[in-house]
């Protein structure tokens, strides 16, 4: 059965800490892996990864994909309270897309 | 401004009633989606549509119905057959065709509560 698993489900850190969020998957005909940030309502797009080993970076956020080991990580350095959100991983395969359960990140001042 | 809107923001329904959630986009996207989000679970696909007058069931279509008469609009009806309808509903759109390579743009969501 196709599945996307995110870990941890919940994480509490203090401002300035670095966090690593994980997304592993088992799907047939993998095509892409996407990261979204969901604060109060609508998820917003962060990254799309299709190739192994190529890091995508945006400010303090970065992500990389390992297609051999079937996972991706999302790193956030020097966390701020505004990073508090649910981070969703979605895997595209065939013409479907499956979301993980999300990681709820709380950044305390 | 281009975007995707959902209404209403909050919706209360009595058991046994059908209710329709609105989703409109002006991004000129051909593909539209409906997801349901429950606490501790990821987004689960209810229905999606690749083109006007065509739609496909997702993973949890039972108890829901949709229509796609216009490119901009993809309303979702939660019927009385849906056993546990209380949830947060998200609508999304993307460039066509439905593809694993297209990022989805999400609306602000509708929180449905069945009393």
């Amino acid at each position: 059965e196709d599945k996307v698993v995110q870990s941890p489900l919940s994480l509490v850190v203090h401002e300035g800490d670095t966090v690593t969020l994980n997304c592993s998957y088992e799907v047939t005909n993998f095509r892409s892996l996407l990261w979204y940030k969901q604060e109060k309502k609508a998820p917003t797009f962060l990254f799309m990864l299709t190739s192994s080993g190529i890091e995508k970076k945006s400010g303090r956020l970065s992500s990389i994909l390992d297609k051999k080991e079937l996972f991706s990580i999302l790193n956030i350095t020097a966390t701020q309270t505004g990073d508090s959100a649910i981070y969703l991983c979605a895997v595209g395969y065939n013409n479907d897309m499956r979301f993980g359960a999300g990681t709820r990140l709380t950044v305390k001042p | 401004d281009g975007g995707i809107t959902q209404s209403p923001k909050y919706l209360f329904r009595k058991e046994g009633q059908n209710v329709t959630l609105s989703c409109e986009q002006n991004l000129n996207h051909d593909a539209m989606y409906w997801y349901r989000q429950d606490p501790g679970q990821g987004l689960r696909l209810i229905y999606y549509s690749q083109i006007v007058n065509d739609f496909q069931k997702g993973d949890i279509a039972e108890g829901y119905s949709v229509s796609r008469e216009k490119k901009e609009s993809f309303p979702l009806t939660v019927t009385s057959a849906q056993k546990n309808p209380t949830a947060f509903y998200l609508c999304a759109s993307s460039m066509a065709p439905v593809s694993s390579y297209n990022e989805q743009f999400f609306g602000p969501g509708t929180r449905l509560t069945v009393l």
Side-chain angles (χ1 to χ4, degrees), chain A residues 9 30-34 36 38 40-45 48 50 86 88 92-102, chain B residues 9-10 35 37 40-45 48 50 59 88 90 97-109 111:
Chain A
L9 290 181
F30 170 89
R31 295 191 184 274
S32 63
L33 188 145
L34 294 83
Y36 289 87
Q38 185 178 21
K40 294 199 173 150
K41 292 188 179 166
T44 53
F45 172 77
M48 178 186 290
T50 55
I86 296 173
L88 293 166
Y93 60 106
N94 298 321
N95 275 328
D96 287 330
M97 187 160 288
R98 189 171 293 273
F99 283 79
Chain B
K9 192 179 294 188
Y10 299 98
Y35 292 94
Q37 188 174 35
Q41 296 194 43
L43 303 183
R44 291 185 290 166
L45 183 64
Y48 67 95
Q50 302 192 54
D59 297 327
F88 186 58
L90 281 164
V98 169
S99 164
S100 309
Y101 296 113
N102 291 331
E103 68 181 271
Q104 295 179 12
F105 295 80
F106 287 85
R111 187 166 297 280

Side-chain angles (χ1 to χ4, degrees), chain B residues 17-31:
Chain B
Q17 288 180 336
N18 291 356
V19 64
T20 297
L21 282 59
S22 165
C23 177
E24 305 276 333
Q25 54 96 3
N26 61 4
L27 299 166
N28 201 33
H29 286 165
D30 283 306

Side-chain angles (χ1 to χ4, degrees), chain A residues 58-107:
Chain A
S58 176
R60 295 176 294 103
L61 276 66
S62 63
S63 184
I64 198 161
L65 173 68
D66 186 328
K67 289 167 77 172
K68 184 179 175 186
E69 300 297 329
L70 309 182
F71 76 93
S72 172
I73 59 172
L74 175 68
N75 275 325
I76 309 175
T77 60
T79 52
Q80 302 171 357
T81 54
D83 295 326
S84 295
I86 296 173
Y87 290 84
L88 293 166
C89 169
V91 174
Y93 60 106
N94 298 321
N95 275 328
D96 287 330
M97 187 160 288
R98 189 171 293 273
F99 283 79
T103 292
R104 181 180 291 277
L105 175 64
T106 303
V107 182

